[in-house]
Amino acid sequence: MAEHQENETTAAAAGGESFIDKITEKIHDIREGDSSSSSDSDDDSKKPAAAAVVEEDHSSFKNKVYRLFGREQPVHKVLGGGKPADVFLWRNKKISAGVLGGATAIWVLFELVEYHLLSLVCHVLIGALAILFLWSNASTFINKSPPRIPEVKIPEEPVLQVAAALRFEINRAFALLRDIASGRDLKKFLSVIAGLWVLSIVGGWLNFLTLFYIAFVLLHTVPVFYEKYEDQVDSYAEKAMVELKRQWIVFDGKLLSKIPKGPLKDKSA
């Protein structure tokens, strides 16, 4: 009887241990399933992030296209920004048309009508002074207020800014000419000589006023045209630059490389 009771107790304990083992295995399987599902979800969440990075790299590579003269900023900022750039790019069509019309009128007066600058300034001053003088004296007879003549003064700060900018550009031009004359860069030397030669030919055909007017008109037409069709222009410019570089390599190999060069002085000496 005692042995039978002991066997029942042992069997019950074994059954309890097997039941506990089954529960433990079940919990372990559930945890493994959760970890695998969480890892799968992490992989799924990483896939869009990786795709976004690849897409961003691809878009940045596409954006690194050739720009004329190595430009990295918009045309508006290249022109200096502010109101002058707005005028050149026709942001306000009335102001831009007025500036271009005024320049055209001045060119017609001096070039076509052959009006002289000193005569024009004197005639304008005579007319303005006469009108203001008569108006000031006639206001007492016609019971109207006299004209309010503003006090015109040239501010000091803009003049100093213009003078500083002009001084900087002149010094940079002198430094460039000195660098070219030193004989270090043959390519730059030939480019400047060719540019000055072309400019001298154009100066023989046109006077300074006409040349200045043409440059003024180009400044009011070329930037706005380029801003509108910059992708097409940059594409053609890239092809032209590749062809020019290829021709320069051929020219350098056949002619320039055979020119003997003198020894350059060491900069540290």
Side-chain angles (χ1 to χ4, degrees):
M1 184 69 179
E3 292 178 359
H4 180 70
Q5 189 174 3
E6 184 179 355
N7 292 333
E8 288 181 355
T9 305
T10 304
E17 289 177 358
S18 63
F19 181 73
I20 292 173
D21 292 338
K22 289 181 181 180
I23 293 176
T24 305
E25 292 178 357
K26 190 69 175 176
I27 293 173
H28 184 67
D29 294 338
I30 292 173
R31 287 180 177 177
E32 287 183 352
D34 292 339
S35 62
S36 62
S37 61
S38 62
S39 63
D40 293 338
S41 63
D42 292 339
D43 294 337
D44 294 337
S45 63
K46 288 179 181 179
K47 287 180 180 178
V53 172
V54 172
E55 183 67 23
E56 184 178 358
D57 293 339
H58 181 66
S59 61
S60 63
F61 177 76
K62 289 177 66 179
N63 290 332
K64 292 179 181 179
V65 296
Y66 176 83
R67 292 301 179 188
L68 196 62
F69 305 116
R71 178 178 60 87
E72 296 181 356
Q73 295 180 342
V75 181
H76 190 270
K77 286 190 176 181
V78 172
L79 294 175
K83 293 182 179 180
D86 292 339
V87 173
F88 295 145
L89 296 175
W90 293 73
R91 295 287 191 265
N92 191 329
K93 295 183 178 180
K94 292 182 179 180
I95 296 177
S96 300
V99 171
L100 189 58
T104 304
I106 292 173
W107 179 76
V108 169
L109 281 175
F110 291 124
E111 186 63 24
L112 299 182
V113 184
E114 296 183 353
Y115 214 68
H116 298 287
L117 178 62
L118 184 60
S119 301
L120 178 63
V121 172
C122 292
H123 291 168
V124 169
L125 289 176
I126 289 171
L129 291 175
I131 291 172
L132 292 175
F133 181 81
L134 293 175
W135 188 0
S136 299
N137 287 280
S139 60
T140 57
F141 299 100
I142 59 178
N143 295 324
K144 287 188 177 181
S145 60
R148 294 180 180 178
I149 303 174
E151 185 179 359
V152 180
K153 289 184 178 180
I154 298 176
E156 182 179 2
E157 185 176 357
V159 175
L160 295 177
Q161 291 177 354
V162 172
L166 186 62
R167 171 182 169 274
F168 176 76
E169 294 298 333
I170 292 175
N171 289 334
R172 190 170 69 170
F174 285 156
L176 178 62
L177 294 175
R178 182 178 179 274
D179 183 64
I180 293 172
S182 63
R184 295 188 182 94
D185 194 344
L186 182 60
K187 181 179 178 181
K188 188 182 294 185
F189 170 75
L190 294 177
S191 301
V192 172
I193 293 298
L196 292 175
W197 180 66
V198 172
L199 189 62
S200 66
I201 294 176
V202 174
W205 294 342
L206 307 170
N207 58 16
F208 180 75
L209 180 61
T210 302
L211 189 61
F212 180 80
Y213 174 70
I214 292 174
F216 191 81
V217 172
L218 291 176
L219 194 59
H220 280 76
T221 53
V222 173
V224 65
F225 176 81
Y226 174 69
E227 187 183 38
K228 188 176 182 180
Y229 302 102
E230 60 177 338
D231 293 334
Q232 293 86 341
V233 174
D234 288 338
S235 177
Y236 287 114
E238 183 178 11
K239 296 177 182 178
M241 287 300 296
V242 171
E243 183 64 24
L244 285 176
K245 288 181 180 179
R246 189 175 67 84
Q247 295 296 331
W248 174 259
I249 292 173
V250 174
F251 179 70
D252 183 55
K254 290 183 178 180
L255 181 63
L256 297 182
S257 61
K258 298 179 181 179
I259 298 176
K261 298 180 180 179
L264 296 177
K265 295 182 179 180
D266 191 4
K267 293 182 179 179
S268 62

